[in-house]
Amino acid sequence: QIAIGIDLGGTQVRAALVDEQGRILARAAEPTDALAGPDRVLAQICGLTDGLLAASNPASVVGVGVSAPGPLDTVAGVASNIPTLSGFVDFPLKAELQKRFPFPVDLENDAIAAAIGEWQFGAGKGLDNLVYVTVSTGIGGGVVSDGRVVRGRKGMAAHVGHMSVVPNGELCPCGNRGCFEAYGSGTAFARRAQMRAMESSGTTIGGDGGAIDSRSVFAAARNGDRLANQLIDEEAEILGRGFTSLIHIFSPDIIVMGGGLSHEFDRLQPGIQGYITQWAMPAFKDVRVMLAALDQNSGLVGAAALAFLTGK
Ligand code: BMX
Ligand code: ZN
């Protein structure tokens, strides 16, 4: 048996045939026609899937799992407003997908799908409790608790980026101030680096005249730049603080970190873990933060895993 996983993103649509061990048997991707509207994007999904099925002609398909950018009401199956895809406003995404497939269709918020992927086939395999956190443009999350996916009302649980961490703090894309995401995301990290590099004289960050993004800060740090290393230590502390709250709330076996900033996991991990060890309550100090094992495929494989879970 195989499942079809679809990862619908603002920049890429990806499709894969995945087996019951979580192995990707075949895959296809193309840039999302993000401005063209839902009909065109759904046609892209079908085109990629048809191509894969025609090429491999699998014996039996349990279903199609679709990971889509949130916030998405997956209980109603409706996208109320996807900021990165035009025309997905009050759009009945699940029903429209189901019309186009002869297999059962399942829909999941992208960060929850990624959590499912890491739980079934990645860093959290075999565990009953994990919190997945993606740290990239924003901060998203997914929770598995007591062996079940936590979805909540509208299937939108685990929007962990919007825990309030600073009263009247930095403005967050959600409209509030002081959210975890407004301090800990890759976007926030790069913005802080830009500001501090401007104020500081001795730094090599952005010294080549190039844009200051997360990657350039980590590169400068590797070359011994003091400000860059300080900024990274601060970022690790911010993430450690947020993760420690999540540890206290959910009592997970592990925290799994994914997203763009997880590509620098080795540099960030000691600071994050150090914060947890220092500030988590005694019974929680041994909770490890681990790197997402499926990297950019957590959501893609997670979407397929969703189809297997539903098919059972
Ligand atoms: C935001 C929110 C979450 C998402 C998270 C990470 C929107 C559009 N998104 O908190 O649903 O999971 O960002 O998003 O409100 P990413 O693009 O950084 O992966
Ligand atoms: Zn917010």
Side-chain angles (χ1 to χ4, degrees):
Q1 279 200 327
I2 64 128
I4 301 167
I6 308 285
D7 183 4
L8 171 59
T11 51
Q12 276 213 315
V13 200
R14 304 191 296 151
L17 306 185
V18 177
D19 74 8
E20 280 175 283
Q21 279 73 50
R23 288 181 296 232
I24 295 179
L25 306 175
R27 58 191 301 157
E30 62 188 51
T32 311
D33 213 341
L35 300 175
D39 271 346
R40 166 75 185 123
V41 173
L42 286 168
Q44 289 189 289
I45 291 173
C46 294
L48 290 171
T49 311
D50 288 348
L52 290 176
L53 291 175
S56 71
N57 201 15
S60 72
V61 177
V62 289
V64 190
V66 180
S67 157
L72 197 68
D73 182 339
T74 55
V75 174
V78 172
S80 59
N81 190 358
I82 302 180
T84 47
L85 300 173
S86 44
F88 284 75
V89 178
D90 296 325
F91 183 73
L93 182 55
K94 186 166 181 193
E96 288 297 326
L97 283 162
Q98 189 62 76
K99 273 187 205 167
R100 290 164 172 81
F101 284 103
F103 326 108
V105 172
D106 263 293
L107 188 60
E108 199 75 77
N109 274 283
D110 50 9
I112 297 184
I116 294 173
E118 290 296 327
W119 173 43
Q120 292 290 297
F121 301 123
K125 199 172 168 187
L127 302 177
D128 277 344
N129 300 282
L130 69 89
V131 175
Y132 170 85
V133 184
T134 170
V135 185
S136 53
T137 312
I139 292 184
V143 171
V144 172
S145 187
D146 300 332
R148 301 173 54 144
V149 181
V150 176
R151 293 200 173 84
R153 192 178 73 108
K154 302 188 182 187
M156 299 201 312
H159 268 79
V160 303
H162 307 283
M163 299 190 285
S164 186
V165 296
V166 177
N168 289 312
E170 297 283 340
L171 190 61
C172 180
C174 77
N176 197 359
R177 289 187 173 274
C179 296
F180 179 34
E181 171 170 315
Y183 287 86
S185 68
T187 314
F189 173 67
R191 194 176 48 233
R192 206 161 41 241
Q194 286 156 9
M195 305 247 298
R196 299 267 287 281
M198 237 167 9
E199 294 163 3
S200 144
S201 44
T203 183
T204 57
I205 305 175
D208 56 0
I212 297 179
D213 55 12
S214 301
R215 202 176 308 196
S216 62
V217 181
F218 282 94
R222 273 188 285 273
N223 289 324
D225 189 274
R226 248 184 74 193
L227 176 62
N229 278 294
Q230 196 182 328
L231 284 160
I232 294 168
D233 292 341
E234 287 170 19
E235 175 68 15
E237 185 180 328
I238 291 164
L239 293 176
R241 189 181 298 118
F243 291 6
T244 298
S245 289
L246 294 171
I247 288 169
H248 288 140
I249 296 166
F250 292 107
S251 195
D253 296 305
I254 57 170
I255 298 265
V256 182
M257 177 173 161
L261 268 203
S262 73
H263 295 151
E264 300 288 355
F265 184 79
D266 289 348
R267 175 64 183 82
L268 288 164
Q269 188 271 344
I272 299 173
Q273 196 67 58
Y275 187 98
I276 295 169
T277 309
Q278 184 170 7
W279 296 110
M281 288 163 63
F284 299 92
K285 286 186 191 297
D286 58 341
V287 178
R288 304 274 103 193
V289 52
M290 297 181 68
L291 176 62
L294 307 175
D295 194 20
Q296 77 271 39
N297 292 330
S298 307
L300 183 64
V301 172
L306 175 68
F308 281 126
L309 288 172
T310 312
K312 262 170 204 153

